[in-house]
Amino acid sequence: MNKKLAAALSGGTALLLALTGCSGDDDQSKKKLDDWAKKVCDQMQPQVKKILDANKSIASVQTEEDSKKVQQTDSAGFQVSVDAYKALANAVQDAGAPPVKDGETSQKNAVKALNDLSTAYANLKKRSDALDTGDKNKFGEGLRSIGGDIAKLSGQSSEALKKLQEGDVGKAMAKQPGCQKNSLSPAPSKG
């Protein structure tokens, strides 16, 4: 009954990995940009790990029969995501605008997207907490509805996050250990 929710959460995970992964490198005036990327990326990795762990926790109860246990796990996972997305938004905000053309706009869009995700997960937590665990059918329907909303969230937020990491910003972020895809995935790094 929780399979759609788990699938939707994996979409959110893909969004996070997209935010934290890019490639390339550049030259001299990049010092300021590299410093900016370091500020963001140093804060990013622990928050992304929390979100990925929360998603794994939620996915781990997808075959659980005890509705109360599913609800408690989902609620805790959603709260972790609320806090982590808020921390990510604060990290991007505190770093200031990246020193590139339209950096301020990209920063504002990314902060808004991350804050929107935090708020949306808070709403999902409220909805999950309100589900009737005594009626398995209604509970399952509620989880499916929540799963569908998570899928929509990841799609809506990915555009602003992609914009933040375009061009030189993405190249600078890709050089930072906290923003490298391989540092977040369980697969061995390519070195």
Side-chain angles (χ1 to χ4, degrees):
M1 97 177 89
N2 210 2
K3 286 182 183 173
K4 283 191 176 185
L5 180 60
L9 285 170
S10 67
T13 301
L15 169 66
L16 286 169
L17 294 176
L19 170 64
T20 60
C22 304
S23 63
D25 57 349
D26 239 336
D27 75 295
Q28 213 300 342
S29 69
K30 301 296 187 240
K31 173 77 174 112
K32 282 184 182 178
L33 186 55
D34 287 343
D35 291 345
W36 178 90
K38 182 170 177 26
K39 275 187 207 174
V40 172
C41 293
D42 284 353
Q43 298 299 312
M44 191 171 286
Q45 188 174 25
Q47 300 310 321
V48 170
K49 183 177 181 340
K50 287 177 189 176
I51 293 166
L52 295 175
D53 288 347
N55 290 350
K56 285 180 195 170
S57 175
I58 290 169
S60 76
V61 294
Q62 68 181 345
T63 58
E64 175 63 50
E65 292 296 319
D66 183 350
S67 298
K68 282 194 181 293
K69 184 174 180 182
V70 171
Q71 185 179 49
Q72 289 168 346
T73 302
D74 288 357
S75 181
F78 290 148
Q79 186 60 54
V80 167
S81 294
V82 167
D83 297 339
Y85 279 117
K86 182 56 108 178
L88 286 170
N90 290 338
V92 174
Q93 182 67 45
D94 292 347
V100 294
K101 183 180 178 200
D102 297 326
E104 194 172 314
T105 300
S106 294
Q107 177 204 22
K108 284 180 183 173
N109 290 342
V111 168
K112 180 181 181 334
L114 291 164
N115 278 325
D116 287 351
L117 277 169
S118 179
T119 300
Y121 273 95
N123 290 333
L124 292 178
K125 180 185 182 315
K126 285 180 195 167
R127 286 175 47 201
S128 176
D129 290 348
L131 293 176
D132 180 1
T133 57
D135 184 333
K136 286 194 184 281
N137 288 334
K138 280 186 180 177
F139 186 72
E141 287 173 25
L143 286 179
R144 282 187 290 281
S145 171
I146 288 170
D149 288 349
I150 291 171
K152 289 177 195 168
L153 285 176
S154 6
Q156 292 169 353
S157 298
S158 62
E159 271 314 300
L161 297 174
K162 281 182 200 171
K163 289 212 180 288
L164 177 67
Q165 58 179 332
E166 284 178 346
D168 291 338
V169 173
K171 291 174 185 176
M173 290 176 79
K175 290 189 257 178
Q176 302 301 319
C179 281
Q180 292 173 352
K181 276 187 182 184
N182 290 335
S183 67
L184 299 174
S185 64
S189 70
K190 294 179 182 176

